[in-house]
Amino acid sequence: MIDPDYPNIVLAFVYRDFKIQIARDQWRGQDIYTAWVDYKLGSAVAVPCAITTKLAIRKAKRWVDKRMQNID
């Protein structure tokens, strides 16, 4: 059986009823961050790659804000 790669969640919070999780991984020796978003209809990778947690958070919040604009 293949060994699955689980995300290394370093931060999680709720923003506008969306749960955002920031995961850390490494690529070419440098830390990179991914933002996962959980909501009523499922989950999505809102930010596939960011170089800092701050940037991943900012982009994830923008992703949520765009989705909320489409609902209104």
Side-chain angles (χ1 to χ4, degrees), residues 18-60:
F18 289 70
K19 182 180 179 184
I20 298 174
Q21 298 180 58
I22 307 298
R24 179 177 49 220
D25 204 345
Q26 283 211 334
W27 185 68
R28 294 188 178 184
Q30 181 175 348
D31 285 342
I32 58 170
Y33 300 89
T34 303
W36 297 79
V37 178
D38 295 326
Y39 54 104
K40 290 179 185 177
L41 299 176
S43 299
V45 177
V47 182
C49 182
I51 58 172
T52 66
T53 54
K54 193 172 186 175
L55 187 57
I57 292 167
R58 185 180 318 136
K59 287 182 173 186

